[in-house]
Amino acid sequence: MAAIHDDLPRNAANHAPLSPLSFIARTAAVWPDRTSIVHGARRDTWRETYARCRRLASALAAQGIAHGDTVAALLPNTPAMVEMHFAVPMTGAVLNTLNTRLDATSIAFMLEHGRAKALVADTEFAPLVRDALARLASPPVVIDVDDPMAATRGARLGRDYEALVASGDPEFAWSLPADEWDAISLNYTSGTTGDPKGVVYHHRGAYLNAISNVVDWGMPRHAVYLWTLPMFHCNGWCFPWTLAAIAGVNVCLRKVDAASILDAIRTHRVTHYCGAPIVHSTLINAPDAMKAGITHKVAGLVAAAAPPAAMIEGMEKMGFDITHVYGLTETYGPAAVCAKQAAWDALDIGARTERNGRQGVAYTMQEAMSVRDPETMAAVPADGATIGEIMFRGNITMKGYLRNPPATAAAFAGGWFHSGDLAVMQPDGYVKIRDRSKDVIISGGENISSLEVEEALYRHPAVLAAAVVAQPDARWGESPRAYVELKPGADVTVEALAAHCRQYLAGFKMPKAFEFGELPKTSTGKIQKFVLRERARSAAAIE
C-alpha cells in the first residue's frame, strides 16, 4: 500500500528554495523606514538599501554578470560591502570577499582561481589592486569604491561604483535561485598549506546560519550591530544576512581600534558586535575615559580555539555580555556555541569563565557536532579525557573546495566534516579543544599557514631547514615564531632574514621572532614541531 503522502507533490505554493535574499525583500516591505546602514554622516533606510542592491544587481547584469559567475570584493566594512552581499547573488553570481590584509600574489591567485569577472575594490587599496592585476593574463573588470570616510583615497582603476549603482534599475526583477544548493559565495582559507582553498557556500546554508545567529545569540528585532568583524571573514559570519532578517542596523567601521569602537558603541547605542579575542582585549585595556558614558547592555561574540580567560573575565567586569562561538571557514563561520546555562550564574567568575570558554554545542541550524576518532570514526566517550577530532555535519557545512576534489573528499571522509581540531567531549556534552592537528597559527583572528611562512624562509639561500610554530602572544593570541637551521658556513642576521620574508609575506604573517640553530628531528629527518612548540611557549613566557 502506498504511503498517504505519496500523492502530495512539491509545488510553488508549498515550497521555495531557502535564500537570504528573501530577508531583505521582506524587511524593505515591512520596515522600509528603519535605518539599515550608518556610516559617518550617512544614514540609509531598508527601503533605500534594497533599491540600491537592486540597482547594483541590474547594472552588473547589464555588464554581463550572470548565474555562476564570480564577482570579487576587496572592501573594508563599508555600505558597499553590505550591498554586495545581496546584489551579487541577485544576479545568480557568486560573491568572493577578499582579505584586505593579503599581499598582491595571494590576491592575484584568488582572482584567477575563482575566475572573477569583476572586482569591486576600495580606492584605498589601489596600489595592491594594480599590483595583483599586473600578475594576471586576463584581469577582471575593476569597479572603484571611493569612500569619503577613507583616510587614504587612491587612484581610480575602473568604473565608479556610485555611477554604476545609479545606472541600474531599482525595480530589477531578481529571483530566488532555482536550487538552494546553488553557490552564493566563495571564501578562501589557507588551511594547512600555502595554497589557499576556495570554500563554497550555498544559499541554503547562508539562510540557515543567518537565522542561527539570531537564535543562538538571542538577538532582538532591530538590533544595532557594529562591524568590528571583517565582512571578508566568512561573509562576516553571515551577519550581513542576519541584520536583514531582523531589520537591524549595520554600523560600519573602516578601522578597528578602541577609540573608534567605544565611540560608536556610545554614539549609536550599539547592542551587538563580534570579534576575535584581540578586539575584546583592546577594549579591556582601553583607558577608562574612553569607556565613559556606555551604560546600556552590550553583547559580544568571541571566536577562538581557546579564548584567554583574562579576556572573558575582563569583558564581564566591563559589563559586556560575552558569548563564545566556534567554527571554521568551512562551516560558514560559527557552527557551535557555548550555550549558557542558568546554573552557571551561581558560580564564581573563574568557574564561569571556564564554562564559557569551551567550544560548546552545535548551532541550532547545524545537524550535529561530534568528537570522533578520525580513523575509526567512532565517537569518543564523554569523559573529558579521550581526545578525538571535532567534526560537523549538516546544512551549515560548505559545499566543498572549489576545483579541489581530493581535498573535498578528505574533508568529508566518513560522512563528517573534519575540522582538524583535537578536543574532548566533557560529561555535560560540551566540547573543549585540547590541541590542533593543523599547523595553522591564528593571530588576531587571521589564519596563518605555517608552511607558507616556511616557504618564504626556504627561499633564502642561507637557510637549510625551517619550521614555524605558534607562540603565545598577549596581544594577538598567537603569533608565528621561526626556527631556522642555516647551511654549513652560511651566515645571515635576523634583520636580513626578516627583510627577505617581507618580500613574500603580508605583514600579519611575519614571524615575531627568529631563532637559529639545529632543528630537532626524528630518525627519518622529520622536524619535531611538538618540541619547538614547547620551546616557543617557554620563550614567550620569558620574553
Side-chain angles (χ1 to χ4, degrees):
M1 179 181 293
I4 62 171
H5 61 267
D6 283 352
D7 60 347
L8 300 175
R10 182 166 61 183
N11 59 68
N14 63 21
H15 175 80
L18 300 183
S19 170
L21 297 180
S22 63
F23 299 150
I24 192 170
R26 179 177 185 272
T27 288
V30 180
W31 290 285
D33 298 319
R34 297 286 309 197
T35 300
S36 58
I37 293 176
V38 172
H39 187 49
R42 176 175 171 177
R43 301 290 185 276
D44 290 358
T45 65
W46 279 107
R47 176 193 285 112
E48 292 168 334
T49 295
Y50 183 42
R52 283 178 60 86
C53 291
R54 294 173 80 179
R55 283 182 179 275
L56 179 55
S58 168
L60 290 172
Q63 296 294 310
I65 300 299
H67 181 269
D69 290 336
T70 301
V71 178
L74 190 67
L75 299 166
N77 288 344
T78 57
M81 189 63 131
V82 176
E83 293 163 357
M84 292 281 285
H85 277 80
F86 297 93
V88 172
M90 280 177 177
T91 69
V94 179
L95 175 63
N96 176 207
T97 55
L98 299 170
N99 187 331
T100 60
R101 300 164 188 167
L102 293 177
D103 55 274
T105 300
S106 298
I107 296 295
F109 173 86
M110 293 171 187
L111 291 173
E112 183 172 47
H113 185 262
R115 298 177 184 171
K117 290 187 68 173
L119 169 62
V120 179
D122 193 285
T123 59
E124 178 183 344
F125 308 122
L128 173 63
V129 171
R130 187 185 291 110
D131 193 357
L133 296 184
R135 300 164 189 262
L136 300 176
S138 300
V141 172
V142 176
I143 300 166
D144 295 311
V145 177
D146 194 10
D147 179 16
M149 293 295 291
T152 303
R153 297 161 76 178
R156 299 293 186 92
L157 301 177
R159 186 169 181 181
D160 179 68
Y161 178 85
E162 289 300 326
L164 186 67
V165 171
S167 72
D169 180 4
E171 299 298 323
F172 177 66
W174 63 273
S175 61
L176 292 174
D179 187 343
E180 60 190 18
W181 181 251
D182 281 359
I184 189 171
S185 64
L186 170 65
N187 292 279
Y188 281 91
T189 178
S190 60
T192 58
T193 72
D195 294 327
K197 293 192 288 290
V199 176
V200 182
Y201 295 172
H202 49 66
H203 283 254
R204 179 181 178 85
Y207 178 106
L208 292 172
N209 210 34
I211 294 301
S212 220
N213 286 335
V214 179
V215 175
D216 289 303
W217 204 6
M219 294 184 78
R221 182 83 65 190
H222 312 312
V224 181
Y225 181 87
L226 179 63
W227 276 108
T228 49
L229 173 75
M231 277 185 250
F232 62 66
H233 268 312
C234 312
N235 298 110
W237 297 353
C238 296
F239 274 94
W241 301 310
T242 295
L243 271 292
I246 62 173
V249 182
N250 293 273
V251 180
C252 295
L253 192 65
R254 285 187 68 98
K255 182 181 179 183
V256 175
D257 58 56
S260 299
I261 293 171
L262 293 168
D263 182 61
I265 290 174
R266 181 170 43 247
T267 302
H268 305 297
R269 294 191 65 80
V270 167
T271 59
H272 294 74
Y273 73 97
C274 300
I278 186 173
V279 174
H280 303 276
S281 296
T282 297
L283 301 184
I284 293 169
N285 296 316
D288 289 339
M290 283 189 186
K291 305 173 187 176
I294 299 175
T295 57
H296 63 285
K297 181 180 178 180
V298 182
L301 280 191
V302 61
M311 184 276 296
I312 295 178
E313 290 186 16
M315 294 308 295
E316 182 172 329
K317 290 175 180 176
M318 279 180 62
F320 284 31
D321 182 20
I322 300 299
T323 299
H324 179 214
V325 293
Y326 164 76
L328 304 93
T329 303
E330 291 89 342
T331 61
Y332 295 70
V337 59
C338 189
K340 297 178 181 180
Q341 302 287 339
W344 299 352
D345 294 340
L347 302 175
D348 62 54
I349 191 170
R352 282 201 309 278
T353 296
E354 186 279 326
R355 299 291 195 283
N356 289 324
R358 298 179 294 174
Q359 283 56 56
V361 296
Y363 244 29
T364 298
M365 305 297 179
Q366 182 71 300
E367 181 186 345
M369 175 190 190
S370 182
V371 180
R372 294 176 172 263
D373 183 314
E375 298 299 324
T376 67
M377 295 302 294
V380 303
D383 58 8
T386 306
I387 293 178
E389 183 179 0
I390 298 178
M391 299 185 190
F392 290 99
R393 64 160 37 147
N395 291 299
I396 52 175
T397 303
M398 66 172 180
K399 292 184 70 168
Y401 296 116
L402 181 66
R403 288 193 289 280
N404 196 337
T408 300
F412 292 145
W416 289 81
F417 167 68
H418 296 240
S419 73
D421 289 329
L422 303 181
V424 297
M425 180 65 76
Q426 296 189 322
D428 62 357
Y430 280 57
V431 172
K432 175 67 176 178
I433 283 182
R434 291 300 189 207
D435 200 354
R436 291 185 174 277
S437 62
K438 301 177 181 178
D439 288 326
V440 169
I441 300 163
I442 302 180
S443 184
E446 297 284 356
N447 282 5
I448 301 173
S449 165
S450 61
L451 292 185
E452 182 182 0
V453 183
E454 289 164 7
E455 287 169 3
L457 290 164
Y458 275 114
R459 287 173 180 254
H460 195 284
V463 173
L464 174 65
V468 175
V469 298
Q471 68 172 24
D473 189 303
R475 177 173 171 78
W476 301 106
E478 293 179 348
S479 60
R481 189 179 191 94
Y483 290 88
V484 179
E485 186 173 336
L486 299 179
K487 295 176 181 177
D491 189 27
V492 65
T493 64
V494 168
E495 293 76 12
L497 195 53
H500 162 82
C501 288
R502 289 190 192 97
Q503 300 177 70
Y504 306 103
L505 301 172
F508 72 91
K509 297 181 181 181
M510 283 290 297
K512 297 300 183 292
F514 296 80
E515 283 193 27
F516 297 108
E518 184 177 354
L519 301 184
K521 304 179 186 72
T522 65
S523 59
T524 59
K526 184 177 180 180
I527 297 171
Q528 296 175 309
K529 279 197 169 183
F530 70 92
V531 175
L532 297 178
R533 290 191 188 97
E534 287 300 322
R535 287 187 191 175
R537 280 192 279 268
S538 298
I542 296 172
E543 295 170 355

